[in-house]
Amino acid sequence: MAEVLPQQFLVDIKSILDELADSVVVDVEFPLEPLVIGTESFVPVSRARVEVTVTYTGTGQVVALGRVEVDVSTHCSRCLTEFTMTASGDVEGFYVKPGHDDEIPEEQEVEFITDRSIDILPAIRSALILELPFAPLHDESCPGICLTCGADLADGACDCEPVRADSPFAALQGLVAESDDTA
Ligand SMILES: [Zn+2]
Ligand SMILES: [Zn+2]
């Protein structure tokens, strides 16, 4: 049966809201929805392992800092092989009580503290998305597939003639090489 994926992960911060610099450590594992970057999708195959310290910094503000790690399944952008990789990132979440957000710089992304709890799921997803590759490779040296016959060049060279410089395919090959560089 498919597991119901949480749409938020609430941390109760009642216990830290009275004392400046009080903190609570959140050490949990929970399932995540797939992460999508451009046309690539990364499907979690493990629970997200999260370790975050939530600290009250005074004047109605709370920060959540820590790490997240999850194993995801994706496809190699060169040869389309499905493979699993570990994604990890630094979690940085800022939360304010409603009415205390006027001192916060505009560029700072903040979430609100509601009912004395905070939702750390958006910060966890952002941390992973920031670190995931735009063009995942199943192996740094993946030779990709032949543009003519589609053979997986990791299995050895195919019988196709190398693309000649005056062929219309040469331009296409140049384009593919270029988009690989910008990855
Ligand atoms: Zn590959
Ligand atoms: Zn070929």
Side-chain angles (χ1 to χ4, degrees):
M1 219 170 71
E3 191 167 18
V4 176
L5 300 173
Q7 300 301 307
Q8 55 180 14
F9 192 88
L10 295 180
V11 178
D12 185 332
I13 55 167
K14 271 186 215 72
S15 61
I16 63 167
L17 280 180
D18 296 325
E19 197 83 43
L20 186 66
D22 250 10
S23 64
V24 58
V25 174
V26 182
D27 189 350
V28 286
E29 294 192 1
F30 59 86
L32 275 186
E33 287 192 328
L35 301 149
V36 178
I37 299 177
T39 55
E40 301 294 344
S41 117
F42 299 83
V43 181
V45 293
S46 76
R47 295 184 157 235
R49 301 176 284 276
V50 176
E51 198 181 325
V52 165
T53 303
V54 180
T55 308
Y56 180 53
T57 59
T59 61
Q61 296 171 29
V62 163
V63 295
L65 297 174
R67 292 284 295 169
V68 55
E69 193 181 78
V70 64
D71 301 326
V72 290
S73 169
T74 190
H75 290 91
C76 177
S77 58
R78 280 187 204 154
C79 71
L80 306 181
T81 297
E82 189 172 355
F83 70 104
T84 300
M85 58 178 281
T86 300
S88 60
D90 291 319
V91 177
E92 281 184 14
F94 293 85
Y95 310 83
V96 291
K97 280 184 185 165
H100 284 76
D101 51 324
D102 24 315
E103 303 142 54
I104 299 193
E106 252 177 60
E107 63 274 14
Q108 179 72 63
E109 257 187 62
V110 296
E111 309 258 342
F112 286 106
I113 299 170
T114 36
D115 292 334
R116 305 188 128 210
S117 58
I118 59 171
D119 177 12
I120 61 170
L121 189 55
I124 286 165
R125 291 182 61 86
S126 304
L128 290 170
I129 284 170
L130 206 64
E131 294 297 327
L132 281 168
F134 200 71
L137 294 178
H138 88 282
D139 184 321
E140 284 299 323
S141 63
C142 172
I145 57 172
C146 170
L147 288 175
T148 308
C149 72
D152 187 345
L153 297 177
D155 296 337
C158 57
D159 296 328
C160 298
E161 292 283 325
V163 178
R164 294 209 319 270
D166 57 355
S167 148
F169 290 109
L172 181 63
Q173 209 167 43
L175 277 180
V176 171
E178 222 165 78
S179 61
D180 271 5
D181 286 349
T182 54

